Amino acid sequence: MSTIGLAAALEELREELYQAQVLGAGQQFAFAVEEAELELLLELRSTGKGDGKLTFGVATAGLSGEQSTVRSHKLKLKLSVRDRATGGTSPEISDDEPGSWDEE
């Protein structure tokens, strides 16, 4: 079973953010990370049971077992969007005509 410590998880997050920064260079819309939340969960489950059955003249035995490992990593980023074409302000996405999309 492989493990990941807090330092390794944070380094992985840094590398992902660096890569996103490089890929976003020159794009019109930029994203600023306002907040990052990292949650690491590890759950180990081990169960086992055995049962046997004896019938007249024939012996039947059964054995079953189960082992599972669950790893979960959850990353939550709060991003703000900036439009570089307008000097870094928040982009405005709108339509000149009032009303909802459901109206025809």
Side-chain angles (χ1 to χ4, degrees), residues 9-98:
L10 291 176
E11 182 59 29
E12 189 74 28
L13 175 58
R14 279 188 199 97
E15 291 299 321
E16 288 289 328
L17 290 172
Y18 293 148
Q19 185 177 4
Q21 189 176 33
V22 168
L23 292 174
Q27 298 293 322
Q28 180 178 348
F29 293 116
F31 298 93
V33 178
E34 292 183 1
E35 185 178 308
E37 181 180 312
L38 180 62
E39 181 179 327
L40 302 172
L41 301 171
L42 174 63
E43 180 181 334
L44 298 172
R45 284 182 267 170
S46 180
T47 60
K49 72 177 189 178
D51 49 1
K53 182 178 181 183
L54 180 63
T55 58
F56 180 74
V58 178
T60 304
L63 178 66
S64 64
E66 175 185 324
Q67 180 180 356
S68 63
T69 300
V70 178
R71 290 186 194 100
S72 176
H73 304 268
K74 178 181 175 183
L75 175 63
K76 180 179 172 181
L77 292 177
K78 184 176 179 182
L79 303 174
S80 62
V81 183
R82 300 289 179 240
D83 187 347
R84 291 179 175 149
T86 61
T89 61
S90 294
E92 292 186 23
I93 314 262
S94 63
D95 188 354
D96 292 338
E97 295 181 22

